Amino acid sequence: MVVALIAAAAGLPTAVTYVPHDKVTATMAKGGAIIEDKGGLRVLAQRRGTGEVEVHMKTNHVFIIVEGEATFITGGTLVGSKNTAPDEVRAASVQGGQTHHLTKGDVITIPANTPHWFKEIPTGTIAYYAVNIQN
């Protein structure tokens, strides 16, 4: 029982989940969750443009880029930050940070409490899977 609680708290899957390709494709078109496991694992299919800087205090990300390209910033100092939800902060921009040029096939990890920002998207949108693991 203790092992099950530790595993659930660590963001590990608690069950086998199969998502057929047609559901993944439909979700990718509008953006949203394709898996939401009670153990804290969430997998999103996203298509988006630029936006605000995000900081998730308790969520670790793995982004798998499947289409498009972007200038992606991690780290740095938030400019104009505001709390938008429990354990969530947004900002207009960051000063400093590390710049990454993301393209199809790239994978990037973002630890919890790390600012991250799709600053520029020359292709208009970028499509990716986001594997979110709660601390």
Side-chain angles (χ1 to χ4, degrees):
M1 173 97 170
V2 172
V3 173
L5 289 173
I6 292 170
L12 299 175
T14 60
V16 172
T17 303
Y18 167 73
V19 183
H21 69 276
D22 56 341
K23 180 179 178 190
V24 173
T25 301
T27 304
M28 181 67 79
K30 63 181 174 149
I34 54 176
I35 296 173
E36 293 199 66
D37 190 275
K38 65 183 176 182
L41 172 66
R42 189 169 192 228
V43 180
L44 305 173
Q46 291 287 98
R47 177 178 299 279
R48 62 172 294 166
T50 59
E52 296 178 299
V53 180
E54 299 181 13
V55 181
H56 311 283
M57 304 306 182
K58 297 182 178 179
T59 303
N60 303 282
H61 298 297
V62 178
F63 289 171
I64 304 161
I65 310 303
V66 296
E67 184 182 302
E69 65 179 277
T71 300
F72 188 71
I73 310 295
T74 56
T77 303
L78 299 175
V79 175
S81 65
K82 61 187 179 271
N83 291 329
T84 56
D87 300 316
E88 303 264 338
V89 176
R90 303 274 173 125
S93 64
V94 294
Q95 290 182 337
Q98 185 173 4
T99 301
H100 310 272
H101 181 77
L102 302 180
T103 61
K104 180 180 179 176
D106 289 345
V107 175
I108 189 166
T109 62
I110 303 109
N113 206 29
T114 302
H116 52 284
W117 180 28
F118 286 96
K119 181 179 180 182
E120 298 170 348
I121 302 178
T123 52
T125 63
I126 188 163
Y128 60 95
Y129 298 110
V131 180
N132 296 347
I133 304 162
Q134 297 295 319
N135 279 346

